[in-house]
Amino acid sequence: IEFSYQGHWPLGGSSSSSGPLVLDAANGSLGVWSGHVPVSAAAAASSAVFGAEPVDGLPAVELASLLKADVAVWAAIDGFEVADQLRAALAHPDAQKVAVLGQEAVHALIDGGYTDGTGIAQAVASGAEEVVVVLNSYSSNLAEYVAQLFPGGPVTKPGVPKELYPVFSAPSAAAVDEAFAQFRQLQIAEGSSYLKVLAVGSFEATTAKNAYFGTEEGRQVSIRIINVCSELSIGFFANFGHYSALVQEVALSLAHPKNRAELQTVLPWFAGK
């Protein structure tokens, strides 16, 4: 990945580039210095829910004005604080400041949901040949967030470019939907209020060449799915106390005598068997 910068001001302008970047789009510095990252910055970057707004231009400016805050979380090779300082300095731009933007690879961080919120693509790009995924597709056993990684899959979030996909060349998204439909559904513990479906299953996939995720063509990957389906969302306007009840319902369901045979299949997944 490489970032380019264009600066324009009265009677002048300038441009710069970060050059090719590796690892975390900061040449690995976010990992190396992770222990020095401010908690507030790490927490904000873990969601960065409005992270895509900067590409929308004026709407982002208006939203930032309304919230009295920046809608994106900005990072640089030397950290979050340096990125904020460099952006603040652009109130009085010049060629040197634009050049430093390139040297520091200043960029906005965006919610993982704008790429692959399941983590499957990232794991496969890192070399995994088997991926065990714990999902939450709300109250139904739906495949859409997995299916978008496959040929013919839907793009699940508005504003995400379809050019990011597919990550796999086979099977088709329709076949992934069918695989989910065939997953084994475990017995839900009696009296459960929030847990609606607990589905498990697996299928084989073949990678496609994808420059954005860094996957190579033709690798065989085993994908194991545990789908915890609940009416609880990712947390918007939710009573957090309900999540502890959900965890209890999952535990009781896994311990249900009728699920003993299925657990003998699923537990070895976590040991790479």
Side-chain angles (χ1 to χ4, degrees):
I1 188 170
E2 182 173 351
F3 299 116
S4 298
Y5 307 85
Q6 296 284 337
H8 302 278
W9 51 86
L11 304 179
S14 183
S15 63
S16 68
S17 171
S18 66
L21 298 165
V22 297
L23 297 178
D24 51 16
N27 286 341
S29 64
L30 294 182
V32 171
W33 298 105
S34 59
H36 299 271
V37 173
V39 173
S40 59
S46 71
S47 175
V49 66
F50 293 116
E53 294 302 323
V55 302
D56 293 333
L58 186 58
V61 175
E62 294 175 345
L63 181 59
S65 177
L66 180 64
L67 297 175
K68 300 187 184 305
D70 200 329
V71 295
V73 178
W74 295 85
I77 288 177
D78 286 321
F80 292 90
E81 186 176 356
V82 169
D84 289 339
Q85 292 171 350
L86 293 177
R87 292 188 67 252
L90 292 177
H92 304 285
D94 58 41
Q96 177 59 28
K97 292 174 182 176
V98 174
V100 175
L101 290 178
Q103 295 168 12
E104 283 288 342
V106 175
H107 61 282
L109 299 178
I110 296 179
D111 191 308
Y114 287 93
T115 56
D116 172 22
T118 71
I120 294 174
Q122 293 89 339
V124 171
S126 297
E129 296 179 352
E130 179 183 23
V131 184
V132 179
V133 192
V134 180
L135 298 177
N136 170 23
S137 61
Y138 300 107
S139 58
S140 301
N141 181 36
L142 300 177
E144 58 180 348
Y145 283 96
V146 177
Q148 75 172 351
L149 305 176
F150 293 82
V155 176
T156 57
K157 185 180 287 292
V160 175
K162 63 181 181 180
E163 289 78 12
L164 282 179
Y165 315 105
V167 175
F168 297 94
S169 61
S172 67
V176 172
D177 286 333
E178 180 60 27
F180 267 66
Q182 299 301 318
F183 281 1
R184 302 177 298 280
Q185 297 199 9
L186 277 62
Q187 178 69 43
I188 302 299
E190 184 178 353
S192 295
S193 298
Y194 305 106
L195 182 61
K196 302 303 179 184
V197 177
L198 188 55
V200 298
S202 62
F203 60 93
E204 302 299 311
T206 304
T207 58
K209 183 176 178 57
N210 186 303
Y212 298 102
F213 287 99
T215 54
E216 300 174 350
E217 184 177 3
R219 288 178 49 216
Q220 301 301 306
V221 179
S222 298
I223 299 177
R224 320 290 191 196
I225 304 289
I226 302 170
N227 202 0
V228 181
C229 305
S230 167
E231 291 182 345
L232 295 179
S233 69
I234 61 174
F236 288 121
F237 308 109
N239 182 334
F240 280 16
H242 294 165
Y243 291 91
S244 60
L246 172 61
V247 171
Q248 180 71 6
E249 292 171 5
V250 171
L252 290 174
S253 297
L254 291 174
H256 197 288
K258 290 186 177 181
N259 295 329
R260 188 170 300 158
E262 298 298 343
L263 285 183
Q264 296 305 311
T265 298
V266 173
L267 289 178
W269 293 353
F270 293 92
K273 299 179 180 178

